[in-house]
Amino acid sequence: MYKPRVYVTRQIFPDALDLIENHAELELWPDEEPPSPEQLKAALAEVDGAIINVMDRIDHSVLDAAPNLKVISQVAVGLDNIDIQEATKRDILVGYTPGVLAKSTADLAFALLLAVARRVVESDKWVREGNWKISHHPMFWLGSEVNGSTLGILGLGGIGLETAKRGMGFDMKVIYHSRTRKPDMEKKHGFKYASLKRVLTESDFISIHVPLTSETHHFIGAKQLKMMKPSAILVNLARGAVVDTEALYEALLKGQIAGAGLDVFDPEPVPPEHPILGLDNVVVLPHIGSASNQSRREMHLLAARNLVAGLQGNRMEECANPTVYDSLGI
Ligand code: DGY
């Protein structure tokens, strides 16, 4: 019996690989460094399916180089690295992994928010550098109060919702701005919908959870940063390019806002000489929003199940372009 061929572009949990191997001939990219665009094209040249990562750019030219490709299964909720329109035109199913990572990513949003507000990383560094000479000083290391403050959520999808719920748990007033208003969530959890302007001007903490699209590229730029309170802290776990990095650096430098917690950056990885890394009021993490053992394993298993379903001509659990089902008659 014909076994479809599958390429997996990064190491994933072994049980996810086993699941794929039960149904397909599998090849795994051996290195930690991602394949270059040319290597990716060569890897996908003859396969029926692929499990890919957010750093693998699947554009027109990669799809041209992969004439047998029927299924792309992304290990992420964000899809900005894939030309979905082009995949859809070619009847290639695209799977992704929403839901299973929402809670862990929201946990990290709070870790970043608290770290910047209460100067956790900065003071830890100070201790390690041997500066803790006075046991306790009433005026040292003052930060921002989190409880009782206003949390503004931009984008109330799965991760935004979980972050908003955590804000309520911290006794914060939570306001949100999203493409779609969610009155049921407002009623259930007590958040309030607000205009973008209100979120920007009234929030003490702003947490970004919008996908990167042509409309949200530099969604937060110099103008938006100027509208924020000088005491505001910006948290980004969405995509680096949703924020204009240069404008953010200027705003932090000039004290237009008080701090930032960034799990994503534009570009990624952040160049070690980037001036933003010289600022004490910024915490930068290496894109680890969903990096708990549990969430990552769930993501890998879901991506594997999406892939196998697509290769077997079935509907996926999570499909980003379900209109392809119609053309495939499934
Ligand atoms: C996502 O899911 O989009 C994350 O950025 C990768 O874990």
Side-chain angles (χ1 to χ4, degrees):
M1 204 182 80
Y2 174 73
K3 261 195 159 181
R5 292 182 61 182
V6 165
Y7 205 94
V8 180
T9 66
R10 225 67 100 249
Q11 182 65 54
I12 55 174
F13 273 80
D15 40 355
L17 288 174
D18 289 346
L19 203 155
I20 300 165
E21 261 185 325
N22 288 337
H23 301 275
E25 298 290 343
L26 182 151
E27 239 187 293
L28 177 65
W29 176 251
D31 302 334
E32 280 181 2
E33 283 291 315
S36 68
E38 286 318 309
Q39 288 167 324
L40 188 62
K41 281 182 196 167
L44 302 189
E46 288 177 13
V47 298
D48 303 278
I51 299 263
I52 62 154
N53 186 271
V54 283
M55 299 312 282
D56 301 323
R57 185 144 294 284
I58 306 290
D59 58 14
H60 196 285
S61 70
V62 172
L63 294 173
D64 278 348
N68 300 337
L69 200 59
K70 294 170 196 69
V71 184
I72 297 167
S73 183
Q74 162 102 325
V75 184
V77 62
L79 290 159
D80 48 284
N81 56 315
I82 306 173
D83 188 336
I84 303 268
Q85 242 186 341
E86 200 51 47
T88 305
K89 249 198 252 166
R90 298 163 193 240
D91 288 340
I92 297 174
L93 287 168
V94 179
Y96 70 135
T97 63
V100 292
L101 49 70
K103 289 179 197 284
S104 56
T105 308
D107 287 348
L108 197 80
F110 252 79
L112 269 174
L113 185 155
L114 289 163
V116 181
R118 299 302 304 273
R119 307 175 68 184
V120 172
V121 176
E122 200 188 341
S123 56
D124 173 88
K125 186 168 163 258
W126 185 83
V127 170
R128 285 166 199 264
E129 287 171 352
N131 297 307
W132 193 8
K133 306 246 166 66
I134 303 166
S135 72
H136 180 266
H137 191 292
M139 294 307 287
F140 273 13
W141 292 108
L142 305 184
S144 312
E145 186 98 349
V146 172
N147 71 82
S149 65
T150 299
L151 171 63
I153 301 282
L154 295 176
L156 200 76
I159 301 169
L161 172 64
E162 288 298 330
T163 306
K165 281 162 61 182
R166 280 152 184 72
M168 298 301 288
F170 269 83
D171 287 340
M172 298 171 95
K173 173 181 171 191
V174 180
I175 56 177
Y176 77 96
H177 183 77
S178 203
R179 243 181 339 191
T180 324
R181 188 168 175 176
K182 312 240 167 92
D184 49 334
M185 292 297 138
E186 291 173 36
K187 205 163 149 203
K188 187 168 173 197
H189 300 290
F191 327 136
K192 297 268 180 294
Y193 179 82
S195 64
L196 176 60
K197 184 176 168 199
R198 271 195 58 208
V199 171
L200 294 173
T201 54
E202 292 179 18
S203 301
D204 300 299
F205 299 90
I206 296 179
S207 195
I208 307 174
H209 301 286
V210 297
L212 175 62
T213 62
S214 47
E215 285 96 59
T216 61
H217 184 264
H218 288 188
F219 183 52
I220 301 297
K223 179 173 162 218
Q224 290 72 23
L225 288 157
K226 269 197 200 106
M227 292 165 76
M228 294 178 196
K229 294 181 179 178
S231 56
I233 289 171
L234 183 71
V235 173
N236 187 10
L237 285 95
R239 286 290 180 267
V242 171
V243 176
D244 179 342
T245 308
E246 291 319 309
L248 175 63
Y249 173 66
E250 286 299 316
L252 289 161
L253 199 65
K254 290 182 192 150
Q256 266 167 14
I257 67 167
L262 309 171
D263 181 45
V264 288
F265 208 81
D266 181 25
E268 267 178 39
V270 56
E273 65 282 1
H274 197 289
I276 214 161
L277 298 179
L279 301 178
D280 287 335
N281 51 348
V282 183
V283 175
V284 183
L285 300 180
H287 202 146
I288 55 169
S290 62
S292 72
N293 273 300
Q294 292 88 335
S295 282
R296 282 287 164 85
R297 181 167 171 268
E298 289 303 324
M299 289 163 74
H300 298 172
L301 287 169
L302 175 54
R305 294 196 302 272
N306 281 338
L307 176 87
V308 170
L311 289 174
Q312 292 183 333
N314 296 323
R315 292 189 173 212
M316 298 169 156
E317 281 169 54
E318 298 290 353
C319 180
N321 59 348
T323 54
V324 174
Y325 291 152
D326 297 336
S327 345
L328 298 179
I330 57 175

